[in-house]
Amino acid sequence: MEPTFEARRHAREEYQKNRFAQAVEEVISEIKSQNDPFFKEITTQFGASLLEDDPQWSLHCAEGIANSVKSLEQKQKSDSKTLGLVGRLQPFVSSLSMYTKAFDVALQAGPAPAAIIYGGARLVLQQLEDFSNCFETVIGIMERIGTLLQCYDLFSSAYQSSEPIQEALFSSYKNIVLFWQKAYKFFKRKAMHSGLVLMSLAAPKTLLLGFLKPLEGKWEKCQHQLELDSEIIKTLSQATEGVINKDARQNERRRQIADWIKAGEDDRAFNVRLNLADNLELQQAGTCSWLYDQESFQSWYAASTSITAWYHAPAGAGKTVLAASLIKFLQNQKDKKDKKLKTVYWFCSFNDPTRRNPLNFLRSIALQLITALGGIPDEVLDIFQVEVDNHAASLHDHMTALKLVQALLFKCDRVHIVVDGLDECHDRHRLLLLATLFELSKSKLYGVVKWFFTSRNEPDIVPLMREAKAIEIQPSREFIEHDIKLFLKDRMTPMDKCIHQIDYWTTAAEGNFLWSRLMLQIMKGDESSCEEEIDEALKKFPKGLTGCYARSLEQLSEMLSPAHQELARRIFMTLVIARQPLHLSELANLLAVRKGAEDHSDKRVPEAQRIEQICGKFVTFDRSSKNTASDPLLKFFHKSVYEFFVQDPETLRVSPGLKKYFVRADEAHRDMGEICVSYLSYARYSLPVDSDEILGNKEHAFLKYAATFWFQHLHWGTHSQEVYEKVCEFVQSPGYWNCMAIQTKIDPYLFSIYSHQGGMCYKMGASENEESIGEDGNNYANPLPSWLDEYGSLGKCIVEALHNFTKEWSPVLRRYPEAIDQCMMRASNMQDFPARVKFQARRVRRFNMQDLYPAGNLSKKAVKELGFARSDSVGGEQLGAVRRSDHFQPNSSNTRLSWSTLDTGVSHDWSLDLRSLKLIHLDEDGENELISPKSISQLAIDSTESNEKSWTVIATDVYEYSAYGGVVALHCLLAPRGKASHHDGSSDSGYESADSKYDSDDSDEDSDDSASDDSDEDSDDTDSDNPDEDSDDSDSDDSDEDIAESESGSEGDSSTAEDAEAPIAENDIPYCLVLLPKNGKPIWSLSSRAREKRQEFVPAFHPSQQVAVWSQVAHELKIADLKTGSVRTAILPEPGDAQLSSAAIVHRDFRFSANEKLLHYLVCSFASTENGTMCTLSFSSFDWPQLSETKSLQRFSPPQKITYRFAGSLSTTKLCSIVTTYWASKYVYIALPPLSCKPKLVRLALPKEDANPDPDKAADFQTLKAPVYFPALTPERKPKIAIHEHTFPSTDGSKPKKRDLLVLVLNASSSCSPSPEDSCPQQEEASPDIFTWTISKRDGWRDWDTSSDECTTELEEKEEEHRRLRGSFISEEQRCSVPIRSGLDWTRKAFLSCG
């Protein structure tokens, strides 16, 4: 098929880039000029066979040379050298064909190219028939040429933009083409010499060799040249590849930095070229050119140093269009090096939150400067790397963005920056933008930075411009009127009624383009029918934008029915008062709300066309943003429109019928808040709904806005008793809990913690430290109108109840919205939220201690702790309680402790001296005083008055055994008196910072001591050789023999026994375990821990023997005889992979098996990692009876281990619970952090005592399929868990079902809230709480999966905490507003507005 003209044109273009074609042309030119016999020979032999009009002559030539090869092979069949010749030269023939296809269409100029390419090769092959001694050499060269041509084709394609490689290819192509010429000459010369030799048969043999050797040298030289060309191209390609790889790396890094700067924003937010194009479309041809003739502008443009210009004009004077014209002008200019001027720009916009955000301004300027510079400066790379190293995956910090722009400006030799519409920003955005510009304008730079600002002449902008010594540019009336006249002439046609009045309109506009535009709209809708009426209308036409808007509003109102006038009023009120721009669907949903309506009706939704008809003169329907093509955003078309509607109509002299359209903020907020409440109270929200399903449904389009902003509007609006009652009714309705479900999903900040940073500053978001979540010093969001508690007791109770609920469940509400139904409210607060019961999960229940024991056998105030009394009786463990005496004297050093088992009634009473830990046993026979060892009592007594110390009981556990009665374990910590000791002998919450409890005179050393022991980090995790060293290194079983078994003291002399304890280091924290057996002697076990390390342990008690075991340090097991009070030690083999050496916190737990043959050992270690905490959980079992025969425990089965990583950190100085365990007959259950939110529940099957263990088989860890959620204050309330099998009665007559029941017991928590006389009743101390979860088969246990269970989902999240808390609904530019209440006193409140 004949190629088309376009195909020929394209082929010619490709040919011009083809270096092979260029090489052929140059060779032809050279040999033609030399009258070379080679060229004459090939054109004579082959030229006639090449048809000039053959479009596929290269194919025919390739066939010709292939035939020549076959012919040569057939003629030389007897010679082994020619065997397989066709196969050997096939790559050569294919390569020539591939290269010459470009000639088929591009060249139609005769046979010269084909003659050189193919004729030369065929000529050499013909000559080769007569010179068999050169055969192999020439064929080898041709094979090599075929290979090189194939390689060169790849190089040419891969390195098209590399000029050095293309030039090297050109040179090598020439050498290949010239090879035919050289070979032809060699053969001719050789033939001549051969003829001479034959003519003289008497010539000696040496004469022949003399002729042949120079020819061989020429072949070698030719071959060497080809190889040299190949090496040059290879070397260049390697160098080029390095450059390309470097460029690729730079491009990738550039992309990463651009993504970091954009921070996940839509690309359209930074595509300023679209803004520029839109504004240039508005420019009338011939306008704005006067600017470039102004002396002030020329002074700015010609300046050789950094300079600022400020163009200011009234609203509507065309500032934005002029800025766009200036940008285009600058982009078309060139510098002295004939390069276009670097020009970056930004258009601020009142209507676009993205474009009035100062951070986005800096982001856009940075992106444009990176493009203008063509690379990434090292300073920018350093800033980026620091941010990434600190896990700032996106650029959200304003100061970092400012620093970034400064670094980029520093690298610019000259740049023009145009910023339009400084006055379009308002409130904090304007303040921040002006401060940013001031900081940038005074930056010291090497190059020239020329700023050009446009704005109104407003008071807060003037000082900045004066400080920057800006050149002021003001438009003269003459120039503006000239531009307006051009504008009006273009917009009017000869048929327009008022075209004859252009001069009048130009003058009347007073330099205001916007007014002129509005005037045209109004006059085109005027009903005047003749010039006289038009003239009369012109005289009455209002002056200024305000008058123009009033006239438009009057025209609109006259056209509307009363119902549509009300619709217009609601539209304008909504757009003025809305917290962020509304989509059309949202507005339509809102307008469908009617007073008294019980539910939504599509019939009340106004048509989109009707809405546009009503407000089209004042509002733009923006479809340029993301997800707005079918659902536009509604915005006032100019800032002056908003300013018009918020004016006092009494000052505008408008007709009475127009006053209703103007907006009073306080009344409008109240109306908007009531609309939101009415919407949220619809019947369709009276039952739990699937929030994921309805949030994307346009029938619920207004739901997000109503849920997010209802209380904010009511906060700012006027309020009254009537409004108060409506709010209380809504909060107590089911709709409120659907509203909260929506809030948790899209507005997590409404349930966040806000920590006071000093002054008026608060930080949104909880501390990374789990144990600080419940601190009373925090403030908690309270998404209710802040005035609600000012009207009556119900309002107070609602506010307090929600405060308690948020304080208890904040981590769950803000991170796991799907679990809101598992957040159980206190029973005492449920009366204030009666609808809550419909929205709570059935599998979860919550009880207060008084709910279970209403008979009042234990005083609500007296009960401090609930726990499980560990028992060997049938039925497992019983619920127990510890209570404090009501007769304690605050100034005394004694406290009375009482505890009993609720079901059995067995009780114990003791008095404890908090100075010396002296005990007095109170029983029916009277008092029995027991003196603590001197090593313990002297610690507090020897302290000076300035650092007076006392002991604090930080934990109490009760153990009941029928064989020898009960045992109470008291965990005591020595602390400065008055810091942590309280009247009841416990800390205020049960757990406080150890640093606050133990402040030594050397407190200045705390900062040094707080670091963990780095020297242990490099040690192996295998068992250490010297367990006596003060280290937590794991021990090998072999090395455990080095620890000698010791007997401490004698029967009845417990004081002497513990006097042998090692001395306490000066900066360590004394820690004492006190065991109080009912039928035995008390035991005081003194130890200490370093400030930077934390050791926890739970002792085990033998079921039948009066023996207790525990471990306070690594490798050492303490064994106490509860009858005699003696204590001895044995070697405890630690798990080899427990990571104890690097752990900051270690928790140890022991348990005897039911048959008394095994001692189980569970150890949890916690170490900080780069982005969270690593928990290592290890389990071992030992033969207990063998301990009497050896000095070390012997393993019964291989140790088991899992690792688990979670977000956040754990404090080593605060004694909140980290782990809680429960030992059942078949399993051990462990609740791992975060206990304040979503704990990781794990269980492990205990070894069967009577079976021989398989050393190669490890028991499987399991975890729950469905997670459970704990209250935020769980770590502070000494949590205890249990698993019981529970029988649930059948509701359909079938067999009752047995299910596991997870039980969580939380001890009493102190209430810090005051009790105003008229507030709802309140306890001084909340009673212990009990939570239960039914574990169904569907939600039950599954095997531990390393891939999914070893890491919490929070660690995998890339989103920053601040952005995550802001949620998905509020735009980044919008401030989050939320009422907060103090954790110390819920009546203390504030209203925050967070950026």
Side-chain angles (χ1 to χ4, degrees):
M1 179 184 291
E2 181 71 18
T4 64
F5 173 79
E6 276 299 316
R8 290 178 182 274
R9 183 184 63 81
H10 177 71
R12 281 193 296 271
E13 292 174 354
E14 289 299 314
Y15 166 73
Q16 291 171 358
K17 303 175 186 177
N18 190 317
R19 290 305 177 98
F20 181 78
Q22 294 172 9
V24 171
E25 281 195 332
E26 186 162 316
V27 170
I28 292 174
S29 177
E30 289 177 0
I31 61 179
K32 272 186 176 182
S33 64
Q34 298 169 1
N35 293 320
D36 194 292
F38 165 73
F39 185 71
K40 184 177 180 181
E41 181 73 19
I42 59 175
T43 53
T44 301
Q45 288 197 34
F46 307 107
S49 63
L50 299 173
L51 303 178
E52 296 183 16
D53 58 351
D54 187 354
Q56 295 185 340
W57 56 265
S58 63
L59 177 62
H60 298 317
C61 290
E63 292 175 352
I65 198 170
N67 293 332
S68 296
V69 174
K70 290 180 181 178
S71 174
L72 180 62
E73 185 179 38
Q74 291 174 355
K75 289 181 180 180
Q76 303 287 336
K77 280 185 178 180
S78 60
D79 192 341
S80 62
K81 295 180 181 179
T82 64
L83 294 177
L85 183 62
V86 173
R88 291 175 63 187
L89 291 184
Q90 181 59 40
F92 169 75
V93 176
S94 299
S95 298
L96 289 182
S97 177
M98 174 180 63
Y99 270 83
T100 55
K101 284 182 180 179
F103 293 96
D104 285 348
V105 177
L107 297 179
Q108 300 293 326
I116 289 295
I117 298 169
Y118 291 104
R122 291 175 66 181
L123 191 62
V124 171
L125 288 174
Q126 289 177 2
Q127 296 287 337
L128 195 60
E129 295 178 9
D130 301 325
F131 296 95
S132 59
N133 57 331
C134 299
F135 183 88
E136 188 61 32
T137 301
V138 176
I139 293 299
I141 292 175
M142 295 179 78
E143 281 186 286
R144 182 59 176 156
I145 288 174
T147 303
L148 290 177
L149 287 175
Q150 290 178 337
C151 294
Y152 288 174
D153 181 61
L154 297 176
F155 283 132
S156 179
S157 176
Y159 302 106
Q160 289 182 4
S161 60
S162 174
E163 192 61 28
I165 289 183
Q166 295 297 328
E167 286 297 326
L169 287 171
F170 174 79
S171 176
S172 187
Y173 288 145
K174 278 190 64 177
N175 288 332
I176 290 173
V177 175
L178 288 173
F179 170 71
W180 314 138
Q181 180 196 34
K182 294 177 181 179
Y184 173 77
K185 291 180 178 179
F186 294 165
F187 286 131
K188 282 293 184 183
R189 190 177 305 167
K190 186 175 180 183
M192 181 181 66
H193 288 311
S194 298
L196 292 173
V197 172
L198 290 173
M199 291 172 61
S200 178
L201 296 175
K205 184 177 182 181
T206 56
L207 179 62
L208 180 61
L209 293 175
F211 286 129
L212 294 177
K213 283 187 177 180
L215 292 177
E216 291 177 0
K218 291 183 180 295
W219 289 123
E220 290 177 3
K221 184 177 179 181
C222 185
Q223 192 164 7
H224 175 73
Q225 183 63 50
L226 292 176
E227 295 301 329
L228 181 62
D229 289 346
S230 173
E231 286 300 319
I232 291 173
I233 293 173
K234 186 188 299 183
T235 302
L236 285 172
S237 67
Q238 291 173 349
T240 304
E241 190 66 31
V243 173
I244 292 174
N245 290 336
K246 180 182 178 182
D247 291 343
R249 290 193 299 270
Q250 289 179 342
N251 289 336
E252 175 61 20
R253 178 51 60 93
R254 183 171 174 171
R255 183 195 62 77
Q256 292 173 350
I257 292 176
D259 290 342
W260 170 69
I261 292 173
K262 288 187 285 189
E265 286 282 349
D266 189 348
D267 288 342
R268 285 174 290 188
F270 305 105
N271 193 349
V272 289
R273 294 177 302 168
L274 293 178
N275 304 141
L276 177 63
D278 291 342
N279 290 318
L280 286 175
E281 283 185 9
L282 298 175
Q283 183 183 3
Q284 180 63 42
T287 61
C288 302
S289 59
W290 57 267
L291 173 66
Y292 314 122
D293 298 327
Q294 296 294 299
E295 183 179 345
S296 53
F297 173 81
Q298 292 177 350
S299 175
W300 173 81
Y301 181 74
S304 58
T305 58
S306 296
I307 193 171
T308 300
W310 176 37
Y311 175 83
H312 56 85
K319 296 183 293 295
T320 299
V321 172
L322 182 134
S325 175
L326 171 61
I327 294 166
K328 183 180 179 182
F329 170 81
L330 293 171
Q331 288 177 336
N332 291 332
Q333 305 305 305
K334 293 185 178 180
D335 60 16
K336 295 179 180 179
K337 298 179 181 179
D338 202 34
K339 293 183 179 179
K340 287 190 175 182
L341 297 179
K342 296 182 181 72
T343 305
V344 299
Y345 50 94
W346 180 254
F347 293 96
C348 300
S349 173
F350 167 79
N351 278 328
D352 190 341
T354 300
R355 286 163 52 197
R356 64 172 183 253
N357 183 354
L359 181 58
N360 279 345
F361 158 72
L362 291 172
R363 287 170 173 165
S364 178
I365 295 299
L367 291 170
Q368 292 179 71
L369 287 173
I370 288 173
T371 301
L373 289 171
I376 308 294
D378 291 341
E379 293 80 0
V380 172
L381 290 173
D382 292 341
I383 293 172
F384 170 71
Q385 196 59 52
V386 168
E387 293 296 299
V388 171
D389 290 344
N390 286 277
H391 313 293
S394 302
L395 179 56
H396 292 291
D397 180 64
H398 184 88
M399 294 307 297
T400 302
L402 178 61
K403 185 179 177 183
L404 179 69
V405 172
Q406 288 174 326
L408 288 165
L409 289 175
F410 194 80
K411 292 297 181 179
C412 294
D413 51 357
R414 174 174 174 172
V415 62
H416 299 79
I417 305 178
V418 180
V419 184
D420 170 66
L422 299 183
D423 56 300
E424 295 283 321
C425 300
H426 58 85
D427 299 335
R428 68 178 183 103
H429 282 150
R430 181 187 292 197
L431 293 174
L432 186 55
L433 179 60
L434 294 178
T436 300
L437 294 174
F438 176 75
E439 191 68 27
L440 288 173
S441 65
K442 72 176 185 178
S443 300
K444 294 182 179 180
L445 305 170
Y446 285 153
V448 176
V449 179
K450 297 188 176 185
W451 295 89
F452 192 99
F453 303 116
T454 74
S455 74
R456 301 185 200 179
N457 187 2
E458 296 193 348
D460 56 340
I461 299 177
V462 173
L464 170 67
M465 297 306 161
R466 289 178 179 171
E467 184 72 24
K469 298 179 180 179
I471 297 175
E472 291 191 42
I473 304 176
Q474 289 181 270
S476 70
R477 182 75 171 264
E478 176 187 354
F479 295 135
I480 293 297
E481 287 186 353
H482 171 267
D483 287 355
I484 290 176
K485 192 171 184 177
L486 290 176
F487 169 77
L488 291 175
K489 280 184 177 181
D490 184 72
R491 297 301 190 273
M492 290 183 179
T493 67
M495 300 301 294
D496 285 332
K497 295 176 290 184
C498 49
I499 190 170
H500 66 287
Q501 295 287 354
I502 283 183
D503 290 336
Y504 174 84
W505 286 122
T506 300
T507 304
E510 297 181 345
N512 197 304
F513 275 93
L514 184 56
W515 184 90
S516 302
R517 175 181 146 195
L518 294 172
M519 176 276 301
L520 289 176
Q521 291 179 354
I522 294 171
M523 292 307 297
K524 286 185 178 182
D526 194 272
E527 298 300 327
S528 302
S529 59
C530 62
E531 287 190 12
E532 184 177 328
E533 290 181 1
I534 293 172
D535 291 341
E536 188 65 27
L538 293 177
K539 293 177 183 179
K540 295 180 180 179
F541 197 85
K543 293 185 178 182
L545 287 177
T546 298
C548 211
Y549 292 144
R551 177 68 176 271
S552 296
L553 187 60
E554 186 175 15
Q555 281 186 339
L556 174 67
S557 188
E558 289 172 353
M559 293 188 299
L560 299 177
S561 65
H564 286 160
Q565 287 180 11
E566 173 60 17
L567 186 63
R569 185 197 68 80
R570 295 181 66 190
I571 291 174
F572 295 138
M573 180 207 73
T574 301
L575 296 183
V576 166
I577 216 70
R579 296 294 296 150
Q580 63 184 34
L582 293 172
H583 286 272
L584 179 58
S585 59
E586 292 177 289
L587 179 63
N589 249 236
L590 176 153
L591 296 173
V593 176
R594 296 289 187 275
K595 285 186 178 181
E598 294 184 357
D599 209 345
H600 173 79
S601 172
D602 289 338
K603 295 180 179 180
R604 294 197 301 270
V605 178
E607 296 178 354
Q609 185 178 2
R610 173 61 64 184
I611 295 175
E612 191 163 2
Q613 288 174 350
I614 289 176
C615 61
K617 287 187 177 182
F618 300 94
V619 176
T620 61
F621 288 68
D622 181 11
R623 292 179 171 85
S624 63
S625 305
K626 189 177 181 180
N627 301 325
T628 58
S630 60
D631 193 13
L633 284 171
L634 276 66
K635 306 172 183 178
F636 288 123
F637 77 83
H638 196 266
K639 180 183 178 184
S640 56
V641 179
Y642 167 83
E643 294 169 341
F644 168 74
F645 278 110
V646 297
Q647 292 183 83
D648 183 355
E650 299 298 335
T651 65
L652 299 180
R653 298 179 182 178
V654 296
S655 62
L658 298 183
K659 292 181 180 179
K660 61 187 175 186
Y661 297 108
F662 291 86
V663 179
R664 263 192 68 175
D666 54 353
E667 295 177 356
H669 277 301
R670 178 201 61 206
D671 294 345
M672 190 71 166
E674 290 183 342
I675 289 172
C676 293
V677 167
S678 297
Y679 187 90
L680 295 169
S681 301
Y682 277 159
R684 58 180 177 175
Y685 303 129
S686 61
L687 293 174
V689 298
D690 185 341
S691 57
D692 288 328
E693 180 179 340
I694 66 174
L695 282 177
N697 190 330
K698 284 194 174 182
E699 288 189 3
H700 303 268
F702 188 57
L703 181 59
K704 290 182 182 179
Y705 185 97
T708 300
F709 295 118
W710 74 270
F711 62 90
Q712 294 186 35
H713 285 298
L714 291 175
H715 166 81
W716 285 304
T718 56
H719 46 89
S720 61
Q721 183 69 28
E722 181 183 1
V723 177
Y724 163 75
E725 291 173 359
K726 287 182 180 179
V727 172
C728 290
E729 182 182 359
F730 165 62
V731 170
Q732 293 189 314
S733 73
Y736 177 75
W737 291 102
N738 273 318
C739 170
M740 183 179 286
I742 299 299
Q743 289 173 334
T744 58
K745 188 167 287 290
I746 65 174
D747 306 308
Y749 73 92
L750 294 179
F751 305 95
S752 181
I753 294 173
Y754 295 83
S755 55
H756 191 204
Q757 303 294 299
M760 301 295 290
C761 296
Y762 290 81
K763 180 182 178 182
M764 177 168 63
S767 165
E768 292 184 358
N769 190 326
E770 175 194 350
E771 299 161 347
S772 68
I773 289 176
E775 287 183 353
D776 288 327
N778 287 323
N779 300 276
Y780 298 85
N782 194 269
L784 293 170
S786 57
W787 45 259
L788 192 62
D789 57 342
E790 300 172 8
Y791 276 86
S793 59
L794 178 58
K796 290 181 174 64
C797 289
I798 288 174
V799 171
E800 183 184 8
L802 183 62
H803 174 71
N804 292 336
F805 182 73
T806 304
K807 187 174 179 179
E808 279 195 309
W809 297 103
S810 171
V812 179
L813 295 173
R814 67 175 186 263
R815 187 170 284 278
Y816 304 104
E818 69 279 4
I820 187 175
D821 62 335
Q822 295 192 48
C823 300
M824 309 302 289
M825 182 172 274
R826 295 179 186 176
S828 59
N829 295 143
M830 289 288 284
Q831 59 186 354
D832 304 315
F833 291 92
R836 175 60 184 160
V837 66
K838 291 184 180 180
F839 294 81
Q840 294 188 152
R842 296 180 62 184
R843 69 184 289 245
V844 190
R845 299 187 68 188
R846 177 176 184 169
F847 307 92
N848 189 265
M849 187 274 297
Q850 290 297 314
D851 299 330
L852 296 179
Y853 297 93
N857 58 330
L858 291 175
S859 166
K860 182 180 271 190
K861 292 183 180 181
V863 174
K864 183 70 177 178
E865 300 181 8
L866 283 179
F868 298 101
R870 302 188 175 184
S871 172
D872 61 346
S873 60
V874 178
E877 302 189 359
Q878 300 171 333
L879 190 65
V882 176
R883 53 181 176 170
R884 311 299 188 198
S885 171
D886 291 334
H887 305 292
F888 176 78
Q889 300 297 323
N891 295 327
S892 170
S893 63
N894 289 350
T895 183
R896 182 173 176 178
L897 305 176
S898 301
W899 55 91
S900 62
T901 305
L902 295 179
D903 289 340
T904 63
V906 177
S907 62
H908 310 262
D909 290 286
W910 295 81
S911 176
L912 177 67
D913 188 323
L914 297 177
R915 292 291 305 280
S916 63
L917 289 187
K918 177 180 68 174
L919 287 163
I920 300 177
H921 191 194
L922 310 174
D923 55 22
E924 297 176 355
D925 299 328
E927 297 184 356
N928 181 20
E929 184 174 286
L930 299 164
I931 306 298
S932 60
K934 289 182 180 180
S935 60
I936 296 173
S937 60
Q938 203 68 24
L939 283 173
I941 295 174
D942 287 347
S943 62
T944 63
E945 292 185 3
S946 61
N947 190 26
E948 189 177 4
K949 300 184 181 74
S950 64
W951 290 92
T952 298
V953 180
I954 61 172
T956 309
D957 284 304
V958 182
Y959 306 86
E960 294 285 350
Y961 294 96
S962 57
Y964 53 88
V967 181
V968 173
L970 302 177
H971 297 260
C972 304
L973 195 73
L974 188 63
R977 186 170 178 82
K979 289 263 186 176
S981 57
H982 296 270
H983 69 278
D984 59 1
S986 73
S987 63
D988 185 41
S989 64
Y991 306 83
E992 286 198 1
S993 168
D995 284 340
S996 68
K997 294 178 180 180
Y998 189 78
D999 293 337
S1000 69
D1001 295 335
D1002 298 325
S1003 59
D1004 289 340
E1005 299 178 8
D1006 287 352
S1007 60
D1008 295 331
D1009 293 339
S1010 63
S1012 59
D1013 187 1
D1014 294 334
S1015 62
D1016 288 336
E1017 292 180 359
D1018 296 330
S1019 61
D1020 293 336
D1021 291 329
T1022 55
D1023 302 357
S1024 70
D1025 293 332
N1026 189 1
D1028 287 334
E1029 294 180 359
D1030 188 12
S1031 166
D1032 287 338
D1033 289 352
S1034 305
D1035 295 341
S1036 66
D1037 292 346
D1038 295 338
S1039 66
D1040 289 335
E1041 299 298 331
D1042 295 337
I1043 300 181
E1045 180 182 22
S1046 63
E1047 291 286 348
S1048 301
S1050 58
E1051 183 177 352
D1053 189 10
S1054 62
S1055 174
T1056 305
E1058 292 308 315
D1059 278 345
E1061 293 282 359
I1064 305 298
E1066 182 177 2
N1067 288 318
D1068 283 359
I1069 302 173
Y1071 192 98
C1072 187
L1073 172 68
V1074 183
L1075 299 179
L1076 307 177
K1078 184 171 180 61
N1079 299 309
K1081 290 192 174 184
I1083 295 174
W1084 289 263
S1085 179
L1086 180 64
S1087 64
S1088 65
R1089 68 173 182 84
R1091 288 178 181 273
E1092 68 274 10
K1093 297 280 186 178
R1094 178 172 165 186
Q1095 304 286 336
E1096 294 182 351
F1097 60 92
V1098 178
F1101 298 88
H1102 198 278
S1104 60
Q1105 304 171 8
Q1106 287 185 268
V1107 173
V1109 297
W1110 68 93
S1111 175
Q1112 291 168 283
V1113 295
H1115 318 296
E1116 181 183 81
L1117 181 72
K1118 288 197 174 186
I1119 306 168
D1121 187 325
L1122 299 176
K1123 185 175 182 180
T1124 64
S1126 63
V1127 179
R1128 63 189 179 95
T1129 61
I1131 295 172
L1132 174 64
E1134 299 286 1
D1137 51 2
Q1139 305 293 328
L1140 298 181
S1141 62
S1142 59
I1145 302 173
V1146 178
H1147 174 95
R1148 295 180 172 88
D1149 203 340
F1150 294 89
R1151 180 75 167 185
F1152 285 100
S1153 63
N1155 68 354
E1156 307 177 7
K1157 294 181 179 180
L1158 299 179
L1159 176 64
H1160 302 307
Y1161 173 40
L1162 183 73
V1163 57
C1164 301
S1165 61
F1166 298 89
S1168 295
T1169 63
E1170 183 178 354
N1171 59 348
T1173 301
M1174 170 70 80
C1175 169
T1176 302
L1177 179 64
S1178 302
F1179 176 85
S1180 304
S1181 292
F1182 303 100
D1183 286 315
W1184 174 251
Q1186 293 183 5
L1187 185 61
S1188 59
E1189 304 171 3
T1190 64
K1191 299 177 182 180
S1192 174
L1193 290 170
Q1194 303 298 313
R1195 295 191 188 278
F1196 174 76
S1197 59
Q1200 316 300 327
K1201 185 198 80 166
I1202 58 172
T1203 57
Y1204 165 66
R1205 293 188 300 126
F1206 56 93
S1209 60
L1210 296 173
S1211 171
T1212 61
T1213 60
K1214 187 166 182 177
L1215 299 182
C1216 290
S1217 296
I1218 295 177
V1219 177
T1220 181
T1221 60
Y1222 175 74
W1223 297 83
S1225 58
K1226 295 181 179 179
Y1227 296 94
V1228 56
Y1229 297 86
I1230 311 104
L1232 297 172
L1235 300 184
S1236 59
C1237 183
K1238 185 183 177 183
K1240 193 71 172 181
L1241 287 176
V1242 178
R1243 78 173 183 180
L1244 176 67
L1246 299 175
K1248 295 180 180 179
E1249 300 108 339
D1250 298 327
N1252 293 323
D1254 183 353
D1256 298 324
K1257 178 174 174 56
D1260 292 327
F1261 283 90
Q1262 292 184 313
T1263 188
L1264 284 177
K1265 298 175 185 175
V1268 297
Y1269 300 89
F1270 286 1
L1273 303 181
T1274 296
E1276 298 187 8
R1277 297 180 64 182
K1278 305 179 188 176
K1280 297 176 178 63
I1281 62 168
I1283 300 286
H1284 292 290
E1285 189 177 69
H1286 188 76
T1287 301
F1288 291 87
S1290 172
T1291 57
D1292 56 2
S1294 59
K1295 188 176 180 180
K1297 298 179 180 179
K1298 292 185 177 181
R1299 295 283 187 269
D1300 281 346
L1301 196 68
L1302 169 64
V1303 181
L1304 170 68
V1305 173
L1306 301 180
N1307 288 331
S1309 63
S1310 298
S1311 172
C1312 300
S1313 302
S1315 299
E1317 293 181 0
D1318 58 346
S1319 70
C1320 45
Q1322 185 170 316
Q1323 307 162 13
E1324 292 181 1
E1325 190 173 80
S1327 309
D1329 286 305
I1330 302 168
F1331 294 80
T1332 65
W1333 290 264
T1334 302
I1335 309 299
S1336 65
K1337 290 183 178 180
R1338 182 185 62 185
D1339 302 332
W1341 300 93
R1342 61 169 176 80
D1343 290 340
W1344 181 271
D1345 182 356
T1346 303
S1347 61
S1348 60
D1349 292 322
E1350 211 167 56
C1351 179
T1352 61
T1353 55
E1354 290 80 7
L1355 278 176
E1356 298 172 355
E1357 291 179 355
K1358 303 295 184 183
E1359 192 173 19
E1360 294 177 358
E1361 176 75 358
H1362 179 77
R1363 285 174 63 83
R1364 189 186 61 76
L1365 287 175
R1366 285 182 63 90
S1368 59
F1369 182 61
I1370 292 185
S1371 63
E1372 184 178 342
E1373 296 73 28
Q1374 178 67 40
R1375 293 180 72 83
C1376 302
S1377 298
V1378 59
I1380 61 170
R1381 300 274 173 166
S1382 169
L1384 291 168
D1385 178 0
W1386 69 265
T1387 63
R1388 293 175 57 191
K1389 56 189 175 183
F1391 194 92
L1392 302 184
S1393 184
C1394 307

